[in-house]
Amino acid sequence: QVQLVESGGGLVQPGGSLRLSCAASGFTFSFYSMRWYRQAPGKEREWVASISSISTNGNYTDSVKGRFTISRDNAKNTMYLQMNSLKPEDTAVYYCNALGRNSYWGQGTQVTVSS
């Protein structure tokens, strides 16, 4: 059974940090590129960051460049998103996505940036 389970979300003040995790099971994680998406209330889901199956380098949407870092540990079947200097506009449900032969989605984790 394929599972992607996000964790690490929560409430944080502006300027703070969070580290999201996405734990994968049921498929060959190292064969898949991985992505983070987010969806704010009343808005469409948007791509945030991605990392290829073997790369250590990520790609980012402009609004998070220099603040967010995507990484993965293929030995642990886990992807991460380190989020620094968080802003209220980063508030959203964050989803992880695995893209390869198939596309898999997690259930999402809520990130709220508010004072």
Side-chain angles (χ1 to χ4, degrees):
Q1 181 182 359
V2 171
Q3 279 194 312
L4 289 174
V5 180
E6 300 97 336
S7 61
L11 173 64
V12 63
Q13 292 186 342
S17 298
L18 284 174
R19 188 194 195 204
L20 305 184
S21 299
C22 172
S25 60
F27 64 100
T28 307
F29 179 76
S30 61
F31 288 1
Y32 281 68
S33 64
M34 298 297 295
R35 291 152 167 79
W36 287 100
Y37 286 79
R38 66 186 180 186
Q39 188 166 18
K43 295 187 177 181
E44 294 186 353
R45 190 173 298 189
E46 67 168 343
W47 167 76
V48 175
S50 59
I51 188 167
S52 69
S53 59
I54 58 172
S55 175
T56 58
N57 296 319
N59 293 294
Y60 304 91
T61 192
D62 285 346
S63 62
V64 308
K65 282 181 181 177
R67 300 189 297 122
F68 290 11
T69 303
I70 188 172
S71 62
R72 64 189 294 162
D73 185 337
N74 287 346
K76 295 183 178 180
N77 290 349
T78 303
M79 173 180 65
Y80 306 97
L81 187 67
Q82 178 66 44
M83 306 187 295
N84 299 328
S85 302
L86 283 161
K87 304 176 181 180
E89 51 263 44
D90 295 318
T91 295
V93 178
Y94 283 71
Y95 299 89
C96 64
N97 168 248
L99 184 64
R101 172 176 292 187
N102 299 294
S103 179
Y104 304 119
W105 290 88
Q107 83 290 346
T109 185
Q110 176 71 46
V111 171
T112 303
V113 184
S114 175
S115 55

